[in-house]
Amino acid sequence: MFSKNNHLLEIYLKSKEKLIEKENLDENVIYNGLNNGSMVLLGNINHKNVEPLLIGQPAKIKINANIGTSPLICRIDEEMEKLKTAEECGADTYMDLSTGGDLDNIRKNMMAATNMPIGTVPIYSAAKKWQDMGKDIDSISMEYVFEEIENQAESGVDYMTIHTGLDMEAVEYANNKRLTGIVSRGGAIIAGYMIKNKKENPLLVDFERLLKIAKKYNVTLSLGDGLRPGSLKDAGDFAQNKEVLNLSKQVLKAREYGVQVMVEGPGHMMLNKISSQIKTMKDLIHNAPLYVLGPLVIDNGAGYDHISAAIGASIAVTAGADFLCYVTPAEHLTLPNKEDVYMGIKAFQIAAAAGEVALNRKDTVILQEKMSQARKDLDWEKMEKYAIDSKIVAERRKDFKDEKECAMCGKFCSMKAR
Amino acid sequence: MFSKNNHLLEIYLKSKEKLIEKENLDENVIYNGLNNGSMVLLGNINHKNVEPLLIGQPAKIKINANIGTSPLICRIDEEMEKLKTAEECGADTYMDLSTGGDLDNIRKNMMAATNMPIGTVPIYSAAKKWQDMGKDIDSISMEYVFEEIENQAESGVDYMTIHTGLDMEAVEYANNKRLTGIVSRGGAIIAGYMIKNKKENPLLVDFERLLKIAKKYNVTLSLGDGLRPGSLKDAGDFAQNKEVLNLSKQVLKAREYGVQVMVEGPGHMMLNKISSQIKTMKDLIHNAPLYVLGPLVIDNGAGYDHISAAIGASIAVTAGADFLCYVTPAEHLTLPNKEDVYMGIKAFQIAAAAGEVALNRKDTVILQEKMSQARKDLDWEKMEKYAIDSKIVAERRKDFKDEKECAMCGKFCSMKAR
């Protein structure tokens, strides 16, 4: 990769020391990971204030927070607060998925407010702007979409979800044979265009055009799962797997071109199938970093989909997932508020840690031991320090902070007893 | 089992029709499960208002809520409210673990307020009463403990956690080699007695005395995991497994005696080890119903241990766990309040459903399909109906209840698009 991508080399050399320290990995593990594409380093050359971020195991599991306005809820201040919340409680990246308001301006403000890498789904903003011009989404011009991608790349977006893997056969299958059809917003827009125009997916056909844009700015492509299953019934079907096969070829093409690439995964999936599906997918995508949404292990958990998705994500991590897109309690119901963002991040930090200890990642394992030693010692200061959420430990203890034991067992505390 | 336990036969015959309907199982599956001990039917002959409850796969996964005062927080009204909350949001049983106030009276009030089966850990109340007499717990009289067990059995308690599996070798190992020693309160009390008196565990030595009491009232024994690991570091160690070996023998003894028996499982456990540990345990305990607490998949999730435990529980269910003891957000920090009880139950309903769909249990699978069909149809009334928490679906939707789409995607809703 380095021989074909000078921007990457430059960013890598500039951030190398920090990466080594943060990831607690040998230099050559990082160098080789980036070079063979099993890792990516997020950082658009035009995103001046970005803190480059390494994604790909054995680097630490990263967590993304989706932020952004919707057509029904468009309060910019709230989105900025959500962004701040996400960063403060430990998100590694955010995606601006705004579809309401002045999109370019919203993104600009977000990028000024944080050093976290930003991701987008350019087809959202293209479709929104297209609709704002009074036009029907299915008639969207692909030229217009490519222009939006280029504009966003130039403006410094670090990674972009692009739905390059849908093809006509898979779309027809999804539309005709599935319980819940196409549930990816981007995927649905592309499929609408394809059906309306009786054309193959232009992002698949014209994949090289994307590569040129991505290469110019060191945008990392996140090949989208436009046909991810939206229900357990549809999990692992022909449409989903046909898309993965297309992405498999595109990963190699991107690498030949010197473009960093990740792949996005499902979706809804029974927990007993997660491990095999993720492993199969990692093989097919040539070990490129896998960016998963959940997966959600049930369909009817609305209100608690952060828990349903954390279950799936923890298992996915043990099978090779590298990058987790959080799911919040608002999923399937409404736009997340600040509290939802907080809960989503925390749930996914639990999932990431659970996966990492199962993979015997030393930093996470040692942290568990420190926490347990502090618990054995009834040392609440240290428990606060080592907990995933120090604030909540202090908060829940506040009425009894002078007690050595916690208020559940009191003097019957077994830690004290033995 | 039926030939040796007339009380069980009587309760079974009385509740048979209801059980068949509720569990959606053939009569002979239930009869054989109860007869061979892979299922238990909770119902003390003296618990007049109890609704007998079947536990043991393929019966539906059951969820227990721990309720009760502590030495530091002893507000009876609040406990009664927590009990009501637990029942309303779908708990199947509750354990009264009170260790503060007038214990016998608290239990009596709880039993009058609900038809759910009740579980207890009699050593807690024995120890509390012993301390109230101004005596040191380590000097507790085992005669006194047996009397408390008998009194509780007579008063109608349906199942009791009794720590019959600890032995001196395992206790010494746990005390000397572990990071977090003995974390079961009951286990710690028994171990204290054993060490102080240099005696083998009287509940193990005098197991038959327990069987006589249990048989008399059809109390289901829940053989406790007094040496369950309290940290990932201690998971799966000698002490834990030695205890399981003792329980293995006791399960057979109980069945010979005609006493219904469950076994309790860990504790803290890396997620990649849950499946094998649970399966090994189920073999050793001769397929008796397994009652698990979590397991928690990380040590440092305090404040979110309901999520950490739901991850572990969902996997445990797929490996054979039958009965889940909820873990609330208060775990490791304080006594749960009403909101914690609610969240704990919901998290475990997610876990149970995730496990059941992975096991292809038809009722749960069909429910997922109905939910997804409703989602595809944007039918919010049906989504409310099929969701694990109807109330929260309505609550989160209320500002946009006249919109057909949810407020996340609005007009970009992919369900509508394709």
Side-chain angles (χ1 to χ4, degrees), chain A residues 121-149 185-197 199-203, chain B residues 412 418:
Chain A
V121 188
I123 192 112
Y124 290 1
S125 44
K128 197 265 176 189
K129 290 173 180 176
W130 190 257
Q131 273 199 333
D132 284 352
M133 293 186 280
K135 300 182 194 172
D136 179 45
I137 292 186
D138 284 356
S139 75
I140 196 166
S141 141
M142 277 297 148
E143 193 55 34
Y144 190 75
V145 173
F146 274 110
E147 278 167 24
E148 177 68 18
I149 293 170
R185 272 189 283 182
I189 295 169
I190 302 292
Y193 170 93
M194 290 165 65
I195 290 164
K196 164 104 179 177
N197 296 286
K199 271 194 179 166
E200 198 40 277
N201 178 3
L203 300 166
Chain B
F412 292 105
R418 297 264 70 81

Side-chain angles (χ1 to χ4, degrees), chain B residues 29-152:
Chain B
V29 171
I30 299 176
Y31 182 89
N32 291 336
L34 286 172
N35 204 31
N36 67 31
S38 65
M39 293 178 176
V40 295
L41 185 59
L42 300 184
N44 182 313
I45 54 159
N46 283 353
H47 192 176
K48 298 301 174 196
N49 61 335
V50 73
E51 185 83 50
L53 185 81
L54 190 70
I55 298 177
Q57 291 196 33
K60 293 184 200 303
I61 302 300
K62 304 302 187 301
I63 297 169
N64 173 71
N66 286 341
I67 311 280
T69 58
S70 89
L72 291 171
I73 306 179
C74 184
R75 296 187 281 260
I76 316 284
D77 288 355
E78 240 169 71
E79 297 310 315
M80 294 303 288
E81 267 191 59
K82 281 158 62 177
L83 177 60
K84 202 176 144 208
T85 298
E87 183 164 23
E88 281 172 2
C89 73
D92 297 291
T93 67
Y94 66 106
M95 291 190 91
D96 172 18
L97 303 185
S98 291
T99 53
D102 177 354
L103 305 186
D104 292 332
N105 206 36
I106 293 171
R107 194 173 68 250
K108 208 174 119 189
N109 286 338
M110 288 187 179
M111 290 174 70
T114 171
N115 301 329
M116 285 194 290
I118 177 175
T120 61
V121 188
I123 192 110
Y124 290 1
S125 44
K128 197 268 177 184
K129 291 174 181 175
W130 190 257
Q131 271 198 335
D132 284 352
M133 294 187 280
K135 299 182 196 173
D136 179 44
I137 292 187
D138 283 356
S139 75
I140 194 166
S141 141
M142 277 297 149
E143 192 54 36
Y144 190 75
V145 173
F146 275 110
E147 277 167 25
E148 177 69 18
I149 292 170
E150 174 117 36
N151 285 340
Q152 290 201 11

Side-chain angles (χ1 to χ4, degrees), chain B residues 143-173:
Chain B
E143 192 54 36
Y144 190 75
V145 173
F146 275 110
E147 277 167 25
E148 177 69 18
I149 292 170
E150 174 117 36
N151 285 340
Q152 290 201 11
E154 198 189 349
S155 79
V157 169
D158 304 293
Y159 70 101
M160 292 183 186
T161 296
I162 319 245
H163 302 89
T164 54
L166 295 88
D167 66 24
M168 192 59 92
E169 190 186 18
V171 164
E172 279 172 0
Y173 184 97

Side-chain angles (χ1 to χ4, degrees), chain B residues 235-252:
Chain B
D237 73 351
F238 174 86
Q240 180 189 343
N241 282 291
K242 183 76 196 294
E243 181 178 46
V244 174
L245 288 183
N246 290 331
L247 300 181
S248 173
K249 290 186 277 186
Q250 290 167 354
V251 166
L252 291 187

Side-chain angles (χ1 to χ4, degrees), chain A residues 70 299 304 340 368 389 396, chain B residues 299 304 340 368 389 396 407:
Chain A
S70 89
D299 294 343
Y304 307 92
D340 292 321
Q368 306 307 308
D389 190 343
R396 298 294 317 243
Chain B
D299 295 342
Y304 306 92
D340 293 320
Q368 307 307 307
D389 190 343
R396 298 293 316 242

Side-chain angles (χ1 to χ4, degrees), chain A residues 255-418:
Chain A
R255 285 182 185 165
E256 277 166 31
Y257 220 88
V259 166
Q260 299 196 97
V261 63
M262 308 189 280
V263 172
E264 301 185 8
H268 291 233
M269 202 191 288
M270 284 77 82
L271 77 85
N272 56 319
K273 300 198 173 169
I274 294 175
S275 186
S276 54
Q277 280 206 23
I278 295 286
K279 285 175 184 168
T280 302
M281 217 176 148
K282 284 286 286 191
D283 283 344
L284 278 169
I285 63 173
H286 313 282
N287 215 27
L290 181 62
Y291 180 25
V292 297
L293 176 72
L296 291 156
V297 291
I298 55 174
D299 294 343
N300 73 334
Y304 307 92
D305 276 335
H306 61 305
I307 297 177
S308 167
I311 293 172
S314 63
I315 301 169
V317 167
T318 67
D322 305 274
F323 187 25
L324 308 178
C325 185
Y326 82 174
V327 172
T328 79
E331 185 75 14
H332 291 118
L333 297 174
T334 187
L335 199 67
N337 59 30
K338 205 167 65 175
E339 289 70 37
D340 292 321
V341 168
Y342 194 93
M343 274 310 300
I345 298 283
K346 290 300 154 190
F348 275 72
Q349 287 175 331
I350 301 277
E356 287 183 336
V357 292
L359 291 164
N360 205 24
R361 298 281 185 249
K362 59 188 171 188
D363 288 356
T364 312
V365 169
I366 288 168
L367 188 62
Q368 306 307 308
E369 289 177 15
K370 283 181 174 169
M371 181 70 175
S372 290
Q373 186 64 58
R375 187 167 280 153
K376 178 70 187 165
D377 298 338
L378 290 171
D379 183 335
W380 290 95
E381 240 171 74
K382 283 196 179 154
M383 279 191 259
E384 271 183 40
K385 182 176 164 191
Y386 299 130
I388 272 184
D389 190 343
S390 305
K391 236 168 56 185
I392 208 171
V393 174
E395 169 65 23
R396 298 294 317 243
R397 280 273 300 167
K398 72 177 189 306
D399 293 341
F400 300 94
K401 63 176 188 294
D402 298 331
E403 303 286 339
K404 196 157 175 55
E405 303 91 20
C406 98
M408 184 183 272
C409 303
K411 63 191 170 190
F412 291 105
C413 177
S414 60
M415 289 296 181
K416 216 178 67 174
R418 298 264 70 80

